[in-house]
Amino acid sequence: MFNRAVSRLSRKRPPSDIHSNDGSPGSSHQNPKSTAKWAASLENLLEDPEGVKRFREFLKKEFSEENVLFWLACEDFKKTQDKKQMQEKAKEIYMTFLSSKASSQVNVEGQSRLNEKILEEPHPLMFQKLQDQIFNLMKYDSYSRFLKSDLFLKHKRTEEEEEDPPDAQTAAKRASRIYNT
């Protein structure tokens, strides 16, 4: 269940990507390059499904993918309205990321850990403090390394090449030679 939610989250496009400022459907040609948006802030990166995918790839190599998975699970949890579903998701988040026996335990301060009893009466912001800790850990640690990583830089180069294809450069050089001689 949790993995499906993470997959759905990483595929969803935020409203800002679906419509441009004038309310008409946006196109990828109108938006700034994704790597430029990702480099602007971790928030921008986490709003972009492709950014999340690339960041997860990077974190997987660093053995810390659980951080972004926890953050995404908390975002999904906050949107949950149904009480029973909220209890199930809270328990799943606890068992997957916070319990001492968690399969993908995140590194949060000991005093911030939740007591299992709180899972019986969940509320949308019950994980907020822990989510903020993980966000800051990613922002000040992994995110800066991601921006310097081969994975990010390669994607950035690919974007730049797509924006300025070699054929266009060659045609421009040819035209310049013709008119400048």
Side-chain angles (χ1 to χ4, degrees):
M1 183 168 132
F2 166 71
N3 288 333
R4 279 184 285 153
V6 169
S7 291
R8 270 195 325 274
L9 276 173
S10 62
R11 285 193 310 259
K12 284 185 183 175
R13 290 175 38 200
S16 59
D17 282 355
I18 297 170
H19 296 284
S20 61
N21 292 339
D22 64 359
S24 63
S27 82
S28 59
H29 299 293
Q30 295 171 331
N31 294 335
K33 290 185 282 190
S34 59
T35 53
K37 288 190 329 190
W38 302 347
S41 72
L42 178 58
E43 292 88 341
N44 288 351
L45 173 76
L46 294 171
E47 286 176 2
D48 183 345
E50 183 66 20
V52 170
K53 178 183 169 189
R54 301 291 176 158
F55 193 48
R56 279 184 64 187
E57 252 179 83
F58 172 75
L59 291 177
K60 203 177 278 191
K61 291 178 182 176
E62 291 213 332
F63 304 101
S64 59
E65 182 186 23
E66 67 277 358
N67 291 334
V68 75
L69 293 177
F70 173 73
W71 189 88
L72 290 168
C74 291
E75 286 297 294
D76 184 51
F77 177 79
K78 286 191 263 188
K79 296 172 190 163
T80 306
Q81 300 293 318
D82 180 66
K83 189 80 166 169
K84 184 161 176 53
Q85 200 176 18
M86 191 179 281
Q87 281 181 317
E88 290 170 7
K89 286 184 178 186
K91 186 175 181 180
E92 189 169 3
I93 289 171
Y94 179 80
M95 297 308 289
T96 305
F97 300 106
L98 301 170
S99 150
S100 59
K101 298 173 186 166
S103 56
S104 298
Q105 193 176 42
V106 290
N107 185 15
V108 291
E109 294 175 15
Q111 65 268 26
S112 300
R113 291 204 173 274
L114 296 175
N115 186 322
E116 269 189 80
K117 290 178 185 174
I118 197 170
L119 300 175
E120 295 167 13
E121 290 296 321
H123 57 88
L125 299 177
M126 68 187 284
F127 296 114
Q128 190 63 51
K129 186 177 179 184
L130 302 173
Q131 185 184 17
D132 290 345
Q133 279 185 36
I134 293 301
F135 179 85
N136 285 326
L137 178 68
M138 291 189 299
K139 183 175 182 175
Y140 297 110
D141 186 35
S142 345
Y143 174 65
S144 56
R145 284 196 312 277
F146 170 71
L147 295 178
K148 296 172 189 165
S149 72
D150 288 340
L151 192 123
F152 175 79
L153 296 173
K154 184 178 178 183
H155 188 70
K156 185 177 176 184
R157 277 192 300 276
T158 303
E159 272 186 351
E160 289 166 352
E161 288 168 6
E162 287 172 0
E163 189 177 272
D164 239 352
D167 292 343
Q169 291 173 345
T170 308
K173 284 180 186 174
R174 264 188 270 132
S176 139
R177 277 183 276 176
I178 292 169
Y179 294 109
N180 289 333
T181 53

